[in-house]
Amino acid sequence: MLGAIFDEAIRRRLAHANPVRSLRSRRKTRRAEIREVEETIRIPEREVVRAMLAAAADTEALFLIARERSGDGARVVEVRRVSTEHPIRQARAFRARHSGVAVETFRPTPWLRPFLATMALAGLRIGEARGLSWANVEPEHIQVREGVDRYNVRNTVKTAAALRSVPIGPQLATILANWRARMAGEGDLVFPSETGTPIGYPNIVNRQLGPLQIALGIIAADGSPRWTAHSFRHFAVSLWIDEGAKIGQVSEWAGHESPEFTQRVYGHLFKSGRTDRRAVTAGELSVLGAVEPATPTQHGNDNSLKNGASAIA
C-alpha cells in the first residue's frame, strides 16, 4: 500500500523516487516478473510486420475465411480476397462452397495500419496507443501521457517511467500525418471509435489484429493468431536495439522502470551502432522501405510535402 502511495506521488510529481522499491521483497518480485517476461517474450520477424502493414492498408479488400473447428483449435480451409463491390453476393457464394465449416469475413479498417505502425515502430503499449491524443503527436516524437485501461477508462499513465517522449522517424510521422488528414475534425484522440471514445480492446484484437493474421496465414499450430498486440511492442524494442540504440535510450523510449529491467529482458539483443533518431529511422526503413510520401489530396496543399522533406533532412 505504501509503495502504491509513492507511485501515485511520483505520477503527480510530488516525489522523485519510491523507497519501497528498494526493499528486498520488492526486488524478489521484480526478479520473478523479469523471469516471466524472459520466458514468454517472442518477437515477430520484420517480414511478418511488413506483410501485416501492407495488408492492413488494403482497406478496399474483403477477406473471406473458412475455418474448420475441432477440439485442437481451428484449421484454415481457405482464405479468399475479393472486391468489396458486391460483398453480400461474394460472401454468400463462398459460404455455399464451404457449407460444413465456419465462414468469417474480414475487412481492414482505415485505422488499423496507423495503429499497428504506432505499436510496431514507436513501441507503445496497446493502452497507450488507445489513449494517444493528437496534442501529443509531433513530427519527430510522440509524447506518452495517457492510457486506456481494460474498462475503457482514459487516464494518466500509471508510472513516472511511462511518462516519456518516444522519437519517431519520417515514415511513422507521415503515416500519422496522412491519417490525421483523413479524419480531420473528429476529436482529440488519434484512434477514436465511431462515437469518439477510445477503441475497445476486443475490437482491436478480435476483429482486426487476429483476423488480419489469419487472413495472411500467420497462425499457430492450433490455428489461432500467432502474435498478440504486445508482441509488436517487443518488435519495436528489438528494432531499436538492432539498429544500434543504447540501453539507456531503449529503456527510456519503452517506458521501462529501469535500464536494469531492459538489460535483463533484452540484453542479448544489444550491440553497438547508431543512436537517437537515426536508429529509429533506420528501423522504420528496414520494415517499410522507401519513405512514404504525404498525400496532397488529403492534406489539401503542398505544405505537408515540404514539411515532410524538411523533417527527413
Side-chain angles (χ1 to χ4, degrees), residues 32 34 57 63 73 92 118 135 137 144-145 153 170 192 233 260 284 286:
I34 291 170
F63 292 90
R92 187 181 295 121
T118 300
V137 177
V144 180
R145 294 293 179 268
V153 175
R233 171 171 160 81
E260 179 188 11
E284 287 186 3
S286 74

Side-chain angles (χ1 to χ4, degrees), residues 49 82-83 102 109 121 129 190 193 201 206 232 239 273 295:
V49 176
V82 298
S83 170
T109 187
L121 300 176
V190 177
S193 66
Y201 183 89
N206 300 332
F232 301 101
L239 200 64
T295 307

